[in-house]
């Protein structure tokens, strides 16, 4: 059995209703958990880009890419290892405001983690952190003792170190 590793899948697609359900069903049928998922506009006008992170073998990955590319709205799908990508995650922490002024340690944690304060009011303050998954997990552990009122983490966003030939592919397709 081959080794399971984290893969970042980039899917270029037309923006159609119902595609998310069909894509997630591809993973669900194989009992593969999606670690994170993100959808946004891409570098190409009118084309969406999905970034999905999954842990599986390369053999499984190749089969899944084939299934994804069979979807009518999918223009092209790629997969890459962590070493082949530059990626970040982002999160927000909501914490009681009195701690910001009374707890010197929180101010030090914010400074040392390269986080930034997004907003402060009488009831709470919000910290934003972008970085690697382990940096966000460390910040979460450091803030946990102070009582996190709310926490949310966005899916991975990633670009590849090597060029993806999607733009040339589309030019040829539209010619």
């Amino acid at each position: 059995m081959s080794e399971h590793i984290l893969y970042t899948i980039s899917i270029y697609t037309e923006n159609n209703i119902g595609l998310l359900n069909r894509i997630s069903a591809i993973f669900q049928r194989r009992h593969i958990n999606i670690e994170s998922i993100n959808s946004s506009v891409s570098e190409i006008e009118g084309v969406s880009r999905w970034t999905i992170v999954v842990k599986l073998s390369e053999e499984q990955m190749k089969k899944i890419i084939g299934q994804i590319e069979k979807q009518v709205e999918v223009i092209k799908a790629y997969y890459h290892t962590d070493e082949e990508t530059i990626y970040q995650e982002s999160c927000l922490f909501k914490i009681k405001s009195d701690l910001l002024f009374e707890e010197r340690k929180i101010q030090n944690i914010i400074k040392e983690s390269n986080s930034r304060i997004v907003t402060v009011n009488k009831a709470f303050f919000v910290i934003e952190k972008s970085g690697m998954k382990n940096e966000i997990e460390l910040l979460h552990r450091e803030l946990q003792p102070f009582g996190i009122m709310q926490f949310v983490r966005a899916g991975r966003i990633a670009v590849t170190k090597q060029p993806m030939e999607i733009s040339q592919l589309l030019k040829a397709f539209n010619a």
Side-chain angles (χ1 to χ4, degrees):
M1 176 118 177
S2 50
E3 182 188 5
H4 284 65
I5 63 169
L6 271 184
Y7 286 102
T8 299
I9 305 170
S10 301
I11 307 170
Y12 287 85
T13 175
E14 297 170 25
N15 200 2
N16 283 25
I17 294 169
L19 184 59
L20 176 60
N21 289 336
R22 289 190 314 247
I23 298 280
S24 63
I26 292 168
F27 294 97
Q28 187 180 1
R29 281 194 298 273
R30 290 169 178 77
H31 304 284
I32 296 167
N33 186 44
I34 294 174
E35 303 281 330
S36 82
I37 186 166
N38 181 63
S39 176
S40 71
V41 297
S42 74
E43 64 275 20
I44 304 147
E45 192 177 337
V47 174
S48 295
R49 179 175 176 176
W50 294 17
T51 305
I52 301 175
V53 179
V54 289
K55 192 173 198 171
L56 36 68
S57 69
E58 187 167 15
E59 186 182 305
Q60 288 175 301
M61 186 71 264
K62 287 177 180 174
K63 287 178 184 171
I64 283 176
I65 286 291
Q67 290 294 304
I68 290 170
E69 288 192 329
K70 283 182 183 172
Q71 302 302 310
V72 175
E73 304 89 342
V74 172
I75 299 162
K76 187 74 179 144
Y78 300 90
Y79 69 93
H80 297 92
T81 63
D82 283 359
E83 293 76 34
E84 297 169 325
T85 58
I86 298 159
Y87 59 91
Q88 293 281 282
E89 292 184 11
S90 186
C91 70
L92 296 173
F93 295 89
K94 180 179 169 184
I95 299 170
K96 279 191 254 173
S97 275
D98 54 358
L99 291 171
L100 184 60
F101 307 108
E102 294 168 13
E103 276 290 344
R104 188 95 187 120
K105 192 171 180 188
I106 281 196
Q107 293 174 25
N108 291 337
I109 290 169
I110 293 167
K111 188 176 175 185
E112 289 167 14
S113 67
N114 290 320
S115 304
R116 67 184 188 92
I117 297 172
V118 178
T119 190
V120 178
N121 66 34
K122 286 180 181 161
F124 63 86
F125 67 102
V126 175
I127 301 169
E128 181 272 334
K129 167 74 180 153
S130 291
M132 306 295 271
K133 185 177 183 177
N134 59 340
E135 295 172 318
I136 290 171
E137 288 171 347
L138 173 64
L139 181 58
H140 191 277
R141 283 194 303 274
E142 289 177 332
L143 292 173
Q144 192 75 46
F146 299 101
I148 299 168
M149 296 168 72
Q150 289 182 37
F151 171 74
V152 64
R153 179 151 104 205
R156 174 183 289 196
I157 54 172
V159 293
T160 59
K161 292 178 181 176
Q162 295 299 315
M164 284 195 283
E165 307 303 328
I166 186 72
S167 298
Q168 290 84 331
L169 184 82
L170 282 176
K171 282 177 192 163
F173 183 75
N174 291 328

